[in-house]
């Protein structure tokens, strides 16, 4: 079994629980989280980021809450906690639809939901659309700084692009903003 496939059943189980709890739409499936894990840790349960995020889904102590020190490196608990958190983020965005909503959830996972919400408010104040990822990408640097905004943009783009490769959904890119499948990534 390939390293990248060893968590498939765990991811599917966590996804099904979150999908039921948060009533996910059908625009993506559990393989989105598999692609997220690839981007976060390369499937390494012992991964630690410079900012202190841990485990396969690189969860921060404040996001995890109680039990972080004991359980963050446990793949089963990390995946369950991370998928539930992704589900909560997905549910926060009420006006976004389909893949755009998943881009908002993923960017919130990476940059923090407050920064995405501030970006939306910034766009709204300027009469710009607030429900399209391509617009958030344009203004995120105002709230996270250039380096972090670029990191978040690359993170989301990579996950979406890997998801398209993983699923073979050639028509999937048609519903994305062109910036999401920039060939440079």
């Amino acid at each position: 079994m390939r390293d990248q496939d060893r968590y498939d059943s765990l991811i599917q189980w966590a996804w099904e629980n979150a999908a039921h709890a948060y009533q996910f739409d059908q625009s993506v499936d559990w393989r989105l989280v598999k692609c997220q894990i690839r981007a976060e840790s390369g499937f390494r349960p012992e991964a630690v980021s410079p900012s202190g995020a841990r485990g396969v889904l690189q969860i921060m102590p404040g996001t995890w809450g109680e039990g972080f020190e004991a359980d963050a490196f446990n793949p089963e608990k990390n995946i369950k906690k991370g998928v539930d958190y992704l589900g909560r983020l997905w549910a926060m965005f009420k006006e976004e639809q389909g893949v755009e909503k998943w881009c908002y959830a993923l960017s919130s996972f990476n940059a923090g939901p407050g920064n995405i919400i501030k970006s939306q408010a910034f766009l709204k104040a300027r009469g710009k659309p607030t429900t399209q990822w391509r617009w958030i990408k344009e203004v995120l640097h105002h709230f996270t700084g250039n380096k972090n905004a670029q990191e978040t943009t690359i993170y989301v783009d990579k996950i979406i692009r890997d998801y398209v490769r993983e699923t073979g959904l050639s028509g999937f890119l048609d519903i994305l903003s062109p910036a999401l499948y920039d060939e440079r990534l």
Side-chain angles (χ1 to χ4, degrees), residues 114-123 139-145:
N115 289 316
I116 305 308
I117 292 167
K118 287 178 202 171
S119 296
Q120 286 182 302
F122 184 86
L123 289 166
V139 302
L140 186 58
H141 68 277
H142 292 292
F143 307 101
T144 65

Side-chain angles (χ1 to χ4, degrees), residues 65-90:
E66 189 175 327
F68 177 76
E69 292 297 326
D71 296 330
F73 294 117
N74 177 314
E76 182 176 345
K77 291 180 179 182
N78 193 281
I79 289 169
K80 183 180 184 310
K81 185 73 86 167
V83 173
D84 183 70
Y85 182 56
L86 183 65
R88 284 189 284 141
L89 295 171
W90 180 86

Side-chain angles (χ1 to χ4, degrees), residues 10-19 21-22 24 33 36-37 40 53-90 105 109:
L10 270 173
I11 298 166
Q12 290 173 37
W13 174 80
W15 182 268
E16 287 175 23
N17 287 331
Y22 299 107
F24 291 166
V33 174
Q36 184 183 14
I37 291 171
E40 288 284 3
R54 294 187 187 164
V56 292
L57 273 169
Q58 292 291 278
I59 302 173
M60 292 294 290
T63 300
W64 187 285
E66 189 175 327
F68 177 76
E69 292 297 326
D71 296 330
F73 294 117
N74 177 314
E76 182 176 345
K77 291 180 179 182
N78 193 281
I79 289 169
K80 183 180 184 310
K81 185 73 86 167
V83 173
D84 183 70
Y85 182 56
L86 183 65
R88 284 189 284 141
L89 295 171
W90 180 86
F109 197 102

Side-chain angles (χ1 to χ4, degrees), residues 27-28 32 97-104 106 131-135 137 153 156-165 167 169-183 185:
S27 61
V28 300
L32 182 75
Q97 299 294 314
V99 178
E100 295 284 353
K101 189 168 182 167
W102 287 107
C103 291
Y104 278 58
L106 289 167
T131 60
Q132 295 172 1
W133 171 235
R134 69 185 182 103
W135 288 101
K137 286 169 64 167
T153 297
V156 173
D157 290 355
K158 179 180 180 1
I159 293 168
I160 295 298
R161 184 174 218 186
D162 285 354
Y163 180 77
V164 168
R165 284 188 190 128
T167 60
L169 296 172
S170 59
F172 194 70
L173 291 176
D174 295 342
I175 63 173
L176 297 175
S177 304
L180 283 177
Y181 52 95
D182 185 334
E183 288 302 317
L185 298 178

